Amino acid sequence: MTVTDELLANAERYAASFDKGSLPLPPAKHVAVVACMDARLSPYGILGLSEGDAHVIRNAGGVITADELRSLAISQRLLGTTEIILIHHTDCGMLTFTDDEFKSAIERETGIRPPWAPEAFTDLDADVRQSIRRITEDPFIPIKTSIRGFVYEVETGKLREVR
Amino acid sequence: MTVTDELLANAERYAASFDKGSLPLPPAKHVAVVACMDARLSPYGILGLSEGDAHVIRNAGGVITADELRSLAISQRLLGTTEIILIHHTDCGMLTFTDDEFKSAIERETGIRPPWAPEAFTDLDADVRQSIRRITEDPFIPIKTSIRGFVYEVETGKLREVR
């Protein structure tokens, strides 16, 4: 029995008490959140989001790569979101290595160097700021009036805005 | 006052009753979930996940691009996850357009054709299967013994496995 099997039992319980079948496709709050995949960071918990409220985009670091720009373009152009919230967090795994180290370790093991940047960073606030700039400089995202970035503190549960 | 401001008030309430400050960095359940960003799909609700349990990776469609392979490689290699769960869903926005249409619409408006694939699809089950294959064929993800794909039914709350 895998953990996946355990989680599927939870999914059956979720379906058994499900009452949200009539929610519309576009997010009710017109917000897209981009956050780190970290297990301790729940955008639902932190921001008080419920099913139907917001697009939630996540990856290692909460960084902005081509795929997040794709998702944000689709979110705004097809589904009407107008505000973007970025969330990095303290004690992030991305602070524990360098891109060169990680790529070299993989190359030593597999004989192939990854063609992508791992996107490690050393300064949380600086990476939030440059992530925002990756969005503001993108030609395909139409609405840039509310793009705000935050650091979530996993130790305290607090969300701190990066200025 | 933006919606972001409203959500920040929720974040203050979350921090005020926060009691999870000692959770470790690696996900307790050793699972990484890749799901669509859709507002109606809450991986926490569906799978019964709590803070600390699992990596959650999300984008438009729940598709696998270079950035999801990056996140999964980091998840497994640095943070010890061993199982992968993919979740697409019914009534997905990605079923409502074609890549060519979306890119042409953006090109007409901005004068630039996006260099990325929008990743629209016409068959949910087929896209779950080919997404799994993008992972199984990737040379940088070491553990491929439990990669399972699902379609979440937004109308019923049920999670159906794709075989």
Side-chain angles (χ1 to χ4, degrees), chain A residues 1-8 10-12 14-16 18 20-31 33 35-63 65-75 77-79 83-85 89 91-94 96-97 102 105-106 109-110 112-120 138-140 142 146 148 150 152-159 161, chain B residues 1-8 10-12 14-16 18 20-31 33 35-63 65-75 77-79 83-85 89 91-94 96-97 102 105-106 109-110 112-120 138-140 142 146 148 150 152-159 161:
Chain A
M1 174 131 162
T2 60
V3 174
T4 300
D5 290 314
E6 280 175 43
L7 299 181
L8 293 181
N10 294 342
E12 289 189 16
Y14 183 77
F18 184 76
K20 304 182 180 81
S22 60
L23 289 172
L25 174 53
K29 295 196 180 293
H30 308 290
V31 169
V33 180
C36 184
M37 68 181 181
D38 189 274
R40 297 161 296 178
L41 191 172
S42 164
Y44 296 89
I46 297 168
L47 298 174
L49 297 170
S50 297
E51 286 92 334
D53 281 348
H55 282 149
V56 183
I57 299 161
R58 302 182 65 176
N59 65 24
V63 300
T65 74
D67 194 49
E68 288 65 49
L69 296 170
R70 174 187 73 88
S71 294
L72 288 169
I74 290 169
S75 175
R77 289 177 173 276
L78 299 182
L79 295 162
E83 297 180 33
I84 299 172
I85 295 174
H89 65 92
D91 196 37
C92 185
M94 307 302 285
T96 65
F97 63 94
F102 189 66
I106 291 180
E109 183 190 312
T110 66
I112 311 172
R113 194 167 182 88
W116 34 261
E119 294 282 344
D138 186 78
F140 308 120
S146 183
R148 291 166 67 179
F150 302 86
Y152 173 68
E153 299 178 353
V154 297
E155 302 83 5
T156 65
K158 289 182 181 164
L159 193 64
E161 184 153 16
Chain B
M1 175 130 163
T2 61
V3 174
T4 300
D5 290 313
E6 281 176 41
L7 299 180
L8 293 181
N10 294 341
E12 289 189 17
Y14 183 77
F18 184 75
K20 304 183 180 81
S22 59
L23 288 171
L25 174 53
K29 294 198 180 294
H30 308 290
V31 169
V33 179
C36 184
M37 69 181 181
D38 190 274
R40 298 161 295 179
L41 191 171
S42 165
Y44 296 88
I46 297 167
L47 298 174
L49 296 171
S50 298
E51 285 94 333
D53 282 348
H55 282 150
V56 182
I57 299 161
R58 302 182 66 176
N59 64 26
V63 301
T65 74
D67 194 48
E68 288 65 48
L69 296 170
R70 174 187 73 88
S71 294
L72 288 168
I74 291 170
S75 176
R77 289 177 174 275
L78 298 182
L79 295 162
E83 298 180 33
I84 298 172
I85 296 174
H89 64 92
D91 195 38
C92 186
M94 307 302 285
T96 65
F97 63 94
F102 190 66
I106 291 180
E109 183 192 312
T110 66
I112 312 172
R113 195 168 181 86
W116 35 260
E119 296 281 344
D138 186 78
F140 309 121
S146 182
R148 292 166 67 179
F150 302 85
Y152 173 68
E153 299 178 353
V154 297
E155 302 82 5
T156 64
K158 289 182 181 163
L159 193 65
E161 184 152 16

